[in-house]
Coordinates of all heavy atoms in Angstrom, one line a residue:
M1 N -10.4 -5.1 14.7 CA -9.7 -5.7 13.6 C -9.0 -4.6 12.7 O -8.0 -4.8 12.2 CB -10.6 -6.6 12.7 CG -9.9 -7.2 11.6 SD -8.4 -8.1 12.0 CE -9.0 -9.8 12.1
K2 N -9.8 -3.5 12.5 CA -9.2 -2.4 11.6 C -8.0 -1.8 12.2 O -7.0 -1.6 11.4 CB -10.3 -1.3 11.5 CG -11.5 -1.8 10.7 CD -12.5 -0.7 10.5 CE -13.7 -1.2 9.8 NZ -14.7 -0.1 9.6
V3 N -7.9 -1.7 13.5 CA -6.7 -1.1 14.1 C -5.5 -2.1 13.9 O -4.4 -1.7 13.6 CB -6.9 -0.8 15.6 CG1 -5.6 -0.4 16.3 CG2 -8.0 0.3 15.8
V4 N -5.8 -3.4 14.0 CA -4.8 -4.4 13.9 C -4.2 -4.3 12.4 O -3.0 -4.4 12.2 CB -5.3 -5.8 14.2 CG1 -4.3 -6.9 13.8 CG2 -5.7 -5.9 15.7
L5 N -5.1 -4.2 11.5 CA -4.7 -4.1 10.1 C -3.8 -2.9 9.8 O -2.9 -3.0 9.1 CB -5.9 -4.2 9.1 CG -6.5 -5.5 8.8 CD1 -7.7 -5.4 8.0 CD2 -5.5 -6.4 8.2
L6 N -4.2 -1.8 10.4 CA -3.4 -0.6 10.1 C -2.1 -0.7 10.8 O -1.1 -0.2 10.2 CB -4.2 0.7 10.6 CG -5.5 1.0 9.8 CD1 -6.2 2.2 10.5 CD2 -5.2 1.2 8.4
A7 N -2.0 -1.3 12.0 CA -0.7 -1.6 12.6 C 0.1 -2.6 11.8 O 1.3 -2.4 11.6 CB -0.9 -2.1 14.0
T8 N -0.6 -3.5 11.2 CA 0.1 -4.5 10.3 C 0.7 -3.7 9.1 O 1.9 -4.0 8.7 CB -0.9 -5.6 9.8 OG1 -1.3 -6.3 10.9 CG2 -0.2 -6.5 8.7
W9 N 0.0 -2.8 8.5 CA 0.5 -2.0 7.4 C 1.7 -1.2 7.8 O 2.7 -1.2 7.1 CB -0.6 -1.1 6.8 CG 0.0 -0.2 5.8 CD1 0.1 1.2 5.8 CD2 0.7 -0.6 4.5 NE1 0.7 1.6 4.7 CE2 1.1 0.6 3.9 CE3 1.0 -1.8 3.9 CZ2 1.8 0.6 2.7 CZ3 1.6 -1.8 2.7 CH2 2.0 -0.6 2.1
Q10 N 1.7 -0.7 9.0 CA 2.8 0.1 9.5 C 4.1 -0.8 9.6 O 5.2 -0.4 9.2 CB 2.5 0.8 10.8 CG 3.7 1.7 11.2 CD 4.0 2.8 10.1 OE1 3.1 3.5 9.6 NE2 5.2 2.9 9.7
R11 N 3.9 -2.0 10.1 CA 5.0 -3.0 10.1 C 5.5 -3.3 8.7 O 6.7 -3.4 8.5 CB 4.5 -4.3 10.9 CG 4.5 -4.1 12.4 CD 4.3 -5.4 13.1 NE 3.3 -5.2 14.0 CZ 2.0 -5.8 14.0 NH1 1.7 -6.6 13.1 NH2 1.2 -5.5 15.0
C12 N 4.6 -3.5 7.8 CA 5.0 -3.7 6.4 C 5.8 -2.6 5.9 O 6.8 -2.8 5.2 CB 3.8 -4.0 5.5 SG 2.9 -5.5 5.9
V13 N 5.4 -1.4 6.1 CA 6.1 -0.2 5.7 C 7.5 -0.2 6.3 O 8.5 0.1 5.6 CB 5.3 1.1 6.1 CG1 6.2 2.4 5.9 CG2 4.0 1.2 5.2
D14 N 7.6 -0.5 7.5 CA 8.9 -0.5 8.2 C 9.8 -1.5 7.5 O 11.0 -1.3 7.3 CB 8.8 -0.8 9.7 CG 8.1 0.3 10.5 OD1 8.0 1.4 9.9 OD2 7.6 0.0 11.6
H15 N 9.3 -2.7 7.2 CA 10.1 -3.7 6.5 C 10.5 -3.3 5.1 O 11.7 -3.4 4.8 CB 9.3 -5.0 6.3 CG 9.3 -5.9 7.5 ND1 10.3 -6.7 7.9 CD2 8.3 -6.1 8.5 CE1 10.0 -7.4 9.0 NE2 8.8 -7.0 9.4
L16 N 9.6 -2.7 4.4 CA 9.9 -2.2 3.0 C 10.9 -1.1 3.1 O 11.8 -1.0 2.2 CB 8.6 -1.8 2.3 CG 7.7 -3.0 2.0 CD1 6.3 -2.4 1.6 CD2 8.3 -3.9 1.0
R17 N 10.8 -0.2 4.1 CA 11.8 0.9 4.2 C 13.2 0.3 4.3 O 14.2 0.9 3.8 CB 11.5 1.8 5.4 CG 12.4 3.0 5.6 CD 12.1 3.8 6.8 NE 10.8 4.4 6.7 CZ 9.8 4.1 7.5 NH1 9.9 3.3 8.5 NH2 8.6 4.8 7.4
D18 N 13.3 -0.8 5.1 CA 14.6 -1.4 5.3 C 15.1 -2.2 4.0 O 16.3 -2.3 3.8 CB 14.6 -2.4 6.5 CG 14.4 -1.7 7.8 OD1 14.7 -0.5 7.9 OD2 14.0 -2.3 8.7
E19 N 14.2 -2.7 3.3 CA 14.5 -3.6 2.1 C 14.8 -2.8 0.8 O 15.6 -3.2 0.0 CB 13.4 -4.5 1.8 CG 13.1 -5.6 2.9 CD 11.9 -6.4 2.6 OE1 11.3 -6.3 1.5 OE2 11.6 -7.2 3.5
L20 N 14.1 -1.7 0.6 CA 14.2 -1.0 -0.6 C 15.1 0.2 -0.6 O 15.3 0.8 0.5 CB 12.8 -0.4 -1.0 CG 11.7 -1.5 -1.2 CD1 10.4 -0.8 -1.4 CD2 12.0 -2.3 -2.4
P21 N 15.7 0.6 -1.7 CA 16.5 1.8 -1.8 C 15.5 3.0 -1.4 O 14.3 3.0 -1.7 CB 16.9 1.9 -3.2 CG 16.9 0.5 -3.7 CD 15.8 -0.2 -3.0
S22 N 16.1 4.0 -0.8 CA 15.3 5.2 -0.4 C 14.4 5.8 -1.5 O 13.3 6.1 -1.3 CB 16.2 6.3 0.2 OG 16.9 5.8 1.3
Q23 N 15.0 5.9 -2.7 CA 14.3 6.5 -3.8 C 13.0 5.7 -4.1 O 12.0 6.2 -4.3 CB 15.2 6.7 -5.0 CG 14.5 7.4 -6.1 CD 15.4 7.7 -7.3 OE1 16.5 7.2 -7.3 NE2 14.9 8.4 -8.2
Q24 N 13.2 4.3 -4.2 CA 12.1 3.5 -4.5 C 11.0 3.6 -3.4 O 9.8 3.6 -3.7 CB 12.5 2.0 -4.7 CG 13.1 1.7 -6.0 CD 13.3 0.2 -6.2 OE1 13.0 -0.6 -5.3 NE2 13.9 -0.1 -7.3
F25 N 11.4 3.5 -2.2 CA 10.5 3.5 -1.1 C 9.7 4.8 -1.1 O 8.5 4.8 -1.0 CB 11.2 3.4 0.3 CG 10.3 3.5 1.4 CD1 9.5 2.5 1.9 CD2 10.2 4.7 2.1 CE1 8.7 2.6 2.9 CE2 9.3 4.9 3.2 CZ 8.5 3.8 3.6
N26 N 10.4 6.0 -1.2 CA 9.8 7.3 -1.2 C 8.8 7.5 -2.4 O 7.8 8.2 -2.3 CB 10.8 8.4 -1.1 CG 11.5 8.4 0.2 OD1 10.9 8.1 1.3 ND2 12.7 8.8 0.3
T27 N 9.2 6.9 -3.5 CA 8.4 7.1 -4.7 C 7.2 6.2 -4.8 O 6.1 6.7 -5.1 CB 9.3 6.8 -6.0 OG1 10.4 7.7 -6.0 CG2 8.4 7.0 -7.3
W28 N 7.3 5.0 -4.3 CA 6.2 4.0 -4.5 C 5.5 3.6 -3.3 O 4.2 3.4 -3.3 CB 6.7 2.8 -5.2 CG 7.4 3.1 -6.5 CD1 8.8 3.0 -6.7 CD2 6.9 3.7 -7.7 NE1 9.1 3.4 -8.0 CE2 7.9 3.8 -8.6 CE3 5.6 4.0 -8.0 CZ2 7.7 4.4 -9.9 CZ3 5.4 4.6 -9.3 CH2 6.4 4.7 -10.2
I29 N 6.1 3.5 -2.2 CA 5.5 3.0 -0.9 C 5.0 4.1 -0.1 O 3.8 4.1 0.4 CB 6.4 2.1 -0.1 CG1 7.0 0.9 -1.0 CG2 5.8 1.6 1.1 CD1 5.9 0.0 -1.6
R30 N 5.8 5.1 0.2 CA 5.4 6.2 1.1 C 4.0 6.9 0.7 O 3.2 7.2 1.5 CB 6.5 7.3 1.1 CG 6.2 8.4 2.2 CD 7.3 9.4 2.2 NE 8.5 8.8 2.6 CZ 8.9 8.7 3.9 NH1 8.1 9.0 4.9 NH2 10.1 8.2 4.2
P31 N 3.7 7.1 -0.6 CA 2.5 7.7 -1.0 C 1.2 6.9 -0.7 O 0.1 7.4 -0.8 CB 2.6 8.0 -2.5 CG 4.0 7.9 -2.8 CD 4.6 6.9 -1.8
L32 N 1.4 5.6 -0.5 CA 0.2 4.7 -0.3 C -0.5 5.0 1.0 O 0.1 5.3 2.0 CB 0.6 3.3 -0.3 CG 1.3 2.8 -1.6 CD1 1.7 1.3 -1.4 CD2 0.4 2.9 -2.8
Q33 N -1.8 5.0 0.9 CA -2.7 5.2 2.1 C -3.4 3.9 2.4 O -4.0 3.4 1.5 CB -3.7 6.4 1.9 CG -3.0 7.7 1.7 CD -4.1 8.7 1.3 OE1 -5.3 8.5 1.3 NE2 -3.6 9.9 1.0
A34 N -3.4 3.5 3.6 CA -4.0 2.2 4.0 C -5.4 2.4 4.6 O -5.6 3.4 5.3 CB -3.1 1.4 4.9
E35 N -6.3 1.6 4.1 CA -7.6 1.6 4.7 C -8.0 0.1 5.1 O -7.7 -0.8 4.3 CB -8.7 2.1 3.7 CG -8.6 3.5 3.4 CD -9.7 4.0 2.5 OE1 -10.6 3.2 2.3 OE2 -9.6 5.2 2.1
A36 N -8.5 0.0 6.3 CA -8.8 -1.4 6.8 C -10.3 -1.5 6.8 O -11.1 -0.6 7.1 CB -8.3 -1.6 8.2
S37 N -10.8 -2.7 6.4 CA -12.2 -3.1 6.5 C -12.3 -4.5 6.8 O -11.3 -5.2 7.0 CB -12.8 -2.8 5.1 OG -12.4 -3.7 4.2
N38 N -13.5 -5.0 6.9 CA -13.8 -6.4 7.2 C -13.3 -7.3 6.1 O -13.0 -8.5 6.2 CB -15.2 -6.7 7.4 CG -15.7 -6.0 8.7 OD1 -14.9 -5.8 9.6 ND2 -17.0 -5.7 8.8
N39 N -13.1 -6.7 4.9 CA -12.6 -7.5 3.7 C -11.1 -7.5 3.6 O -10.6 -8.2 2.7 CB -13.2 -6.8 2.4 CG -14.7 -6.9 2.4 OD1 -15.3 -7.9 2.8 ND2 -15.3 -5.9 1.8
G40 N -10.4 -6.8 4.5 CA -8.9 -6.8 4.5 C -8.4 -5.4 4.4 O -9.0 -4.4 4.7
L41 N -7.2 -5.3 3.8 CA -6.5 -4.1 3.7 C -6.5 -3.6 2.3 O -6.2 -4.3 1.4 CB -5.0 -4.3 4.1 CG -4.1 -3.2 4.3 CD1 -4.5 -2.3 5.4 CD2 -2.7 -3.6 4.5
T42 N -6.9 -2.3 2.1 CA -6.9 -1.7 0.8 C -5.8 -0.6 0.8 O -5.8 0.2 1.7 CB -8.3 -1.1 0.5 OG1 -9.3 -2.1 0.5 CG2 -8.3 -0.4 -0.8
L43 N -5.0 -0.6 -0.2 CA -4.0 0.4 -0.3 C -4.4 1.3 -1.4 O -4.6 0.9 -2.6 CB -2.6 -0.3 -0.6 CG -2.1 -1.3 0.4 CD1 -0.8 -1.9 0.0 CD2 -2.0 -0.6 1.8
R44 N -4.5 2.6 -1.1 CA -4.9 3.6 -2.1 C -3.6 4.4 -2.6 O -2.9 4.9 -1.8 CB -5.8 4.6 -1.5 CG -7.2 4.0 -1.1 CD -8.2 5.1 -0.8 NE -9.4 4.5 -0.5 CZ -10.4 4.1 -1.3 NH1 -10.2 4.3 -2.6 NH2 -11.5 3.6 -0.9
A45 N -3.4 4.3 -3.9 CA -2.4 5.1 -4.5 C -2.9 6.4 -4.9 O -4.1 6.6 -5.1 CB -1.9 4.3 -5.7
P46 N -2.0 7.4 -5.1 CA -2.4 8.7 -5.5 C -2.9 8.8 -6.9 O -3.7 9.7 -7.3 CB -1.2 9.6 -5.3 CG 0.0 8.7 -5.3 CD -0.5 7.4 -4.8
N47 N -2.6 7.8 -7.8 CA -3.1 7.8 -9.1 C -3.0 6.4 -9.7 O -2.4 5.5 -9.1 CB -2.4 8.8 -10.0 CG -0.9 8.6 -10.0 OD1 -0.4 7.5 -10.4 ND2 -0.1 9.6 -9.7
R48 N -3.6 6.2 -10.8 CA -3.6 4.9 -11.4 C -2.2 4.4 -11.8 O -1.9 3.2 -11.7 CB -4.5 4.9 -12.7 CG -4.6 3.5 -13.3 CD -5.6 3.5 -14.5 NE -6.9 3.9 -14.2 CZ -7.9 3.1 -13.8 NH1 -7.7 1.9 -13.7 NH2 -9.1 3.7 -13.5
F49 N -1.3 5.2 -12.2 CA 0.0 4.8 -12.6 C 0.7 4.2 -11.4 O 1.3 3.1 -11.5 CB 0.8 6.0 -13.2 CG 2.2 5.6 -13.6 CD1 2.5 5.0 -14.7 CD2 3.3 5.9 -12.7 CE1 3.8 4.6 -15.1 CE2 4.6 5.6 -13.1 CZ 4.8 4.9 -14.3
V50 N 0.7 4.9 -10.3 CA 1.3 4.4 -9.0 C 0.7 3.1 -8.6 O 1.4 2.1 -8.3 CB 1.3 5.4 -7.9 CG1 1.8 4.8 -6.6 CG2 2.2 6.7 -8.3
Q51 N -0.6 3.0 -8.7 CA -1.4 1.8 -8.3 C -0.9 0.6 -9.2 O -0.5 -0.4 -8.6 CB -2.9 2.0 -8.6 CG -3.6 0.7 -8.4 CD -5.1 0.8 -8.9 OE1 -5.5 1.9 -9.3 NE2 -5.7 -0.3 -9.0
E52 N -0.8 0.8 -10.5 CA -0.4 -0.3 -11.3 C 1.1 -0.7 -11.1 O 1.4 -1.8 -11.1 CB -0.6 0.1 -12.8 CG -2.1 0.2 -13.1 CD -2.9 -1.1 -12.9 OE1 -2.4 -2.2 -13.1 OE2 -4.0 -1.0 -12.4
W53 N 1.9 0.3 -10.9 CA 3.4 0.1 -10.7 C 3.5 -0.8 -9.4 O 4.3 -1.7 -9.3 CB 4.1 1.4 -10.6 CG 5.6 1.2 -10.4 CD1 6.3 1.0 -9.3 CD2 6.6 1.1 -11.5 NE1 7.6 0.8 -9.5 CE2 7.8 0.8 -10.9 CE3 6.5 1.2 -12.9 CZ2 9.0 0.7 -11.6 CZ3 7.7 1.0 -13.6 CH2 8.9 0.8 -13.0
V54 N 2.9 -0.3 -8.3 CA 3.0 -1.0 -7.0 C 2.5 -2.4 -7.2 O 3.1 -3.4 -6.7 CB 2.3 -0.2 -5.9 CG1 2.2 -1.1 -4.7 CG2 3.0 1.1 -5.6
K55 N 1.3 -2.6 -7.8 CA 0.8 -4.0 -8.0 C 1.7 -4.8 -8.8 O 2.0 -6.0 -8.5 CB -0.6 -3.9 -8.7 CG -1.7 -3.5 -7.8 CD -3.0 -3.4 -8.6 CE -3.5 -4.6 -9.3 NZ -4.8 -4.4 -10.0
D56 N 2.3 -4.3 -9.8 CA 3.2 -5.0 -10.7 C 4.5 -5.4 -10.0 O 5.0 -6.5 -10.1 CB 3.5 -4.2 -12.0 CG 4.4 -5.0 -12.9 OD1 4.0 -6.2 -13.2 OD2 5.4 -4.5 -13.4
K57 N 5.1 -4.4 -9.3 CA 6.5 -4.6 -8.7 C 6.5 -5.1 -7.3 O 7.4 -5.7 -6.8 CB 7.2 -3.3 -8.8 CG 7.3 -2.7 -10.1 CD 8.1 -3.6 -11.1 CE 8.3 -2.9 -12.4 NZ 8.8 -3.8 -13.5
F58 N 5.5 -4.8 -6.5 CA 5.5 -5.0 -5.0 C 4.4 -5.9 -4.5 O 4.4 -6.2 -3.3 CB 5.6 -3.7 -4.3 CG 6.7 -2.8 -4.6 CD1 6.5 -1.6 -5.3 CD2 8.0 -3.2 -4.3 CE1 7.6 -0.8 -5.6 CE2 9.1 -2.4 -4.7 CZ 8.9 -1.2 -5.3
Y59 N 3.4 -6.3 -5.3 CA 2.3 -7.0 -4.8 C 2.7 -8.2 -4.0 O 2.2 -8.5 -2.9 CB 1.3 -7.4 -6.0 CG 0.2 -8.2 -5.5 CD1 -0.9 -7.6 -4.9 CD2 0.2 -9.6 -5.6 CE1 -2.0 -8.4 -4.5 CE2 -0.9 -10.4 -5.2 CZ -2.0 -9.7 -4.6 OH -3.0 -10.5 -4.1
T60 N 3.5 -9.0 -4.6 CA 3.9 -10.3 -4.0 C 4.6 -10.0 -2.6 O 4.2 -10.6 -1.6 CB 4.9 -11.1 -4.8 OG1 4.2 -11.4 -6.1 CG2 5.3 -12.4 -4.2
R61 N 5.5 -9.1 -2.5 CA 6.2 -8.8 -1.3 C 5.2 -8.2 -0.2 O 5.3 -8.6 0.9 CB 7.4 -7.9 -1.5 CG 8.2 -7.6 -0.2 CD 8.8 -9.0 0.3 NE 9.5 -8.7 1.5 CZ 9.5 -9.6 2.5 NH1 8.8 -10.7 2.5 NH2 10.2 -9.3 3.6
I62 N 4.4 -7.3 -0.6 CA 3.4 -6.7 0.3 C 2.5 -7.8 0.8 O 2.2 -7.8 2.0 CB 2.7 -5.5 -0.3 CG1 3.6 -4.3 -0.5 CG2 1.5 -5.1 0.5 CD1 3.0 -3.2 -1.3
S63 N 2.0 -8.6 -0.1 CA 1.1 -9.7 0.4 C 1.8 -10.6 1.4 O 1.2 -11.1 2.4 CB 0.6 -10.5 -0.8 OG -0.2 -9.7 -1.6
E64 N 3.1 -11.0 1.1 CA 3.8 -11.8 2.0 C 3.9 -11.2 3.4 O 3.7 -11.9 4.4 CB 5.2 -12.1 1.5 CG 5.3 -13.0 0.3 CD 6.7 -13.0 -0.4 OE1 7.6 -12.2 0.1 OE2 6.9 -13.8 -1.3
L65 N 4.2 -9.9 3.4 CA 4.4 -9.3 4.7 C 3.0 -9.2 5.5 O 3.0 -9.4 6.7 CB 5.0 -7.9 4.5 CG 6.4 -7.8 4.1 CD1 6.8 -6.4 3.6 CD2 7.3 -8.3 5.2
V66 N 2.0 -8.8 4.8 CA 0.7 -8.8 5.4 C 0.3 -10.1 5.9 O -0.2 -10.3 7.1 CB -0.4 -8.2 4.5 CG1 -1.8 -8.4 5.0 CG2 -0.1 -6.7 4.2
H67 N 0.4 -11.1 5.1 CA 0.1 -12.5 5.6 C 0.9 -13.0 6.7 O 0.4 -13.6 7.6 CB 0.1 -13.5 4.4 CG -0.9 -13.2 3.4 ND1 -0.8 -13.6 2.1 CD2 -2.2 -12.7 3.5 CE1 -1.9 -13.2 1.4 NE2 -2.7 -12.7 2.3
R68 N 2.2 -12.6 6.7 CA 3.1 -13.0 7.8 C 2.6 -12.4 9.1 O 2.6 -13.0 10.2 CB 4.5 -12.5 7.6 CG 5.4 -12.9 8.7 CD 6.8 -12.3 8.7 NE 7.4 -12.5 7.4 CZ 8.5 -11.9 7.0 NH1 9.1 -10.9 7.8 NH2 9.1 -12.1 5.8
H69 N 2.1 -11.1 9.1 CA 1.7 -10.4 10.3 C 0.3 -10.7 10.7 O -0.2 -10.3 11.8 CB 2.0 -9.0 10.2 CG 3.5 -8.6 10.1 ND1 4.3 -8.8 11.2 CD2 4.2 -8.2 9.1 CE1 5.5 -8.4 10.9 NE2 5.5 -8.1 9.6
T70 N -0.5 -11.3 9.8 CA -1.9 -11.6 10.1 C -2.2 -13.1 10.1 O -3.3 -13.5 10.0 CB -2.9 -10.9 9.2 OG1 -2.6 -11.4 7.8 CG2 -2.7 -9.4 9.3
D71 N -1.2 -13.9 10.1 CA -1.3 -15.4 10.0 C -2.0 -15.8 8.7 O -2.8 -16.8 8.7 CB -2.0 -16.0 11.2 CG -1.2 -15.8 12.5 OD1 0.1 -15.9 12.4 OD2 -1.7 -15.5 13.6
G72 N -1.9 -15.1 7.6 CA -2.4 -15.4 6.4 C -3.9 -15.2 6.2 O -4.5 -15.7 5.3
E73 N -4.5 -14.4 7.1 CA -5.9 -14.3 7.2 C -6.5 -13.1 6.4 O -7.7 -13.0 6.3 CB -6.4 -14.2 8.6 CG -6.1 -15.4 9.4 CD -6.5 -15.3 10.9 OE1 -7.1 -14.3 11.2 OE2 -6.2 -16.2 11.7
Q74 N -5.7 -12.2 5.9 CA -6.2 -10.9 5.3 C -5.8 -10.8 3.9 O -4.7 -11.1 3.5 CB -5.7 -9.7 6.2 CG -6.2 -9.7 7.6 CD -7.8 -9.6 7.6 OE1 -8.4 -8.9 6.9 NE2 -8.3 -10.4 8.5
A75 N -6.7 -10.3 3.1 CA -6.5 -10.0 1.7 C -6.0 -8.6 1.6 O -6.2 -7.7 2.4 CB -7.8 -10.1 0.9
V76 N -5.2 -8.3 0.5 CA -4.7 -7.0 0.1 C -5.3 -6.6 -1.2 O -5.2 -7.4 -2.2 CB -3.2 -7.0 0.1 CG1 -2.7 -5.6 -0.3 CG2 -2.6 -7.5 1.4
S77 N -5.9 -5.4 -1.3 CA -6.4 -4.9 -2.6 C -5.8 -3.5 -2.8 O -5.3 -2.9 -1.9 CB -7.9 -4.9 -2.6 OG -8.4 -4.1 -1.6
Y78 N -5.9 -3.1 -4.0 CA -5.3 -1.8 -4.4 C -6.4 -1.0 -5.2 O -7.2 -1.6 -5.9 CB -4.1 -2.0 -5.4 CG -3.0 -2.8 -4.7 CD1 -3.0 -4.1 -4.7 CD2 -2.0 -2.0 -4.1 CE1 -1.9 -4.8 -4.0 CE2 -0.9 -2.7 -3.5 CZ -0.9 -4.1 -3.5 OH 0.1 -4.7 -2.9
T79 N -6.3 0.3 -5.0 CA -7.2 1.2 -5.7 C -6.4 2.5 -5.8 O -5.3 2.6 -5.3 CB -8.5 1.4 -5.1 OG1 -9.4 2.1 -5.9 CG2 -8.4 2.0 -3.7
H80 N -7.0 3.5 -6.5 CA -6.4 4.8 -6.5 C -7.4 5.9 -6.3 O -8.6 5.7 -6.4 CB -5.7 5.1 -7.9 CG -6.6 5.1 -9.0 ND1 -7.1 6.3 -9.5 CD2 -7.0 4.1 -9.8 CE1 -7.9 6.0 -10.5 NE2 -7.9 4.7 -10.7
L81 N -6.9 7.0 -5.8 CA -7.8 8.1 -5.6 C -8.3 8.7 -6.9 O -7.5 8.8 -7.8 CB -7.1 9.2 -4.7 CG -6.6 8.8 -3.4 CD1 -5.7 9.9 -2.8 CD2 -7.7 8.5 -2.5
R82 N -9.5 9.1 -7.0 CA -10.0 9.7 -8.2 C -9.5 11.2 -8.2 O -9.3 11.8 -7.2 CB -11.5 9.7 -8.2 CG -12.1 8.3 -8.3 CD -13.6 8.3 -8.4 NE -14.1 7.0 -8.1 CZ -14.6 6.6 -7.0 NH1 -14.8 7.4 -6.0 NH2 -15.0 5.3 -6.9
A83 N -9.4 11.7 -9.4 CA -8.9 13.0 -9.6 C -9.7 14.1 -8.8 O -9.1 15.0 -8.2 CB -8.9 13.4 -11.1
H84 N -11.0 13.9 -8.8 CA -11.8 14.9 -8.0 C -11.6 14.8 -6.5 O -11.9 15.7 -5.8 CB -13.3 14.9 -8.4 CG -14.0 13.6 -7.9 ND1 -13.9 12.4 -8.6 CD2 -14.7 13.4 -6.8 CE1 -14.6 11.5 -7.9 NE2 -15.1 12.1 -6.8
E85 N -11.1 13.7 -6.0 CA -10.9 13.5 -4.6 C -9.6 14.2 -4.2 O -9.4 14.6 -3.1 CB -10.9 12.0 -4.2 CG -12.2 11.4 -4.3 CD -12.1 9.9 -4.0 OE1 -11.1 9.3 -4.4 OE2 -13.0 9.4 -3.4
T86 N -8.6 14.3 -5.1 CA -7.3 14.8 -4.8 C -7.1 16.2 -5.2 O -6.1 16.8 -4.8 CB -6.2 13.9 -5.4 OG1 -6.4 13.9 -6.8 CG2 -6.3 12.5 -4.9
R87 N -8.0 16.8 -6.0 CA -7.8 18.1 -6.6 C -8.9 19.1 -6.2 O -9.5 19.7 -7.0 CB -7.7 18.1 -8.1 CG -6.7 17.0 -8.6 CD -5.3 17.4 -8.9 NE -5.0 18.7 -9.3 CZ -4.6 19.1 -10.5 NH1 -4.4 18.1 -11.4 NH2 -4.3 20.3 -10.7
H88 N -9.2 19.2 -4.9 CA -10.3 20.1 -4.4 C -10.0 21.5 -4.6 O -10.9 22.3 -4.7 CB -10.5 19.8 -2.9 CG -11.0 18.5 -2.6 ND1 -12.3 18.1 -2.8 CD2 -10.4 17.4 -2.0 CE1 -12.5 16.9 -2.4 NE2 -11.4 16.4 -2.0
D89 N -8.8 21.9 -4.8 CA -8.4 23.3 -4.9 C -8.6 23.9 -6.3 O -8.3 25.1 -6.5 CB -7.0 23.5 -4.4 CG -6.0 22.7 -5.1 OD1 -6.3 21.6 -5.6 OD2 -4.8 23.2 -5.2
L90 N -9.0 23.1 -7.3 CA -9.1 23.6 -8.6 C -10.3 24.4 -8.9 O -11.3 24.2 -8.3 CB -9.0 22.5 -9.6 CG -7.7 21.8 -9.7 CD1 -7.7 20.7 -10.7 CD2 -6.5 22.8 -10.1

């Protein structure tokens, strides 16, 4: 199931790449990292600001795409990487 969810996310990315202007796609969608679990798909943003922006502006569309490709069976959740996880070199 995890492989299927990750493939589903890639299909969603492809749709969003076609739908959004390049700058929006590269700023908000491209940085997201997908993780699949038994609970559904979790999208990890690089920081809280990106997480909140994506949830506010794209949650509905991302959920529609995920549900379309999974027959409405999977949930989508959002989180962000903690500062200590992204800044190992300090």
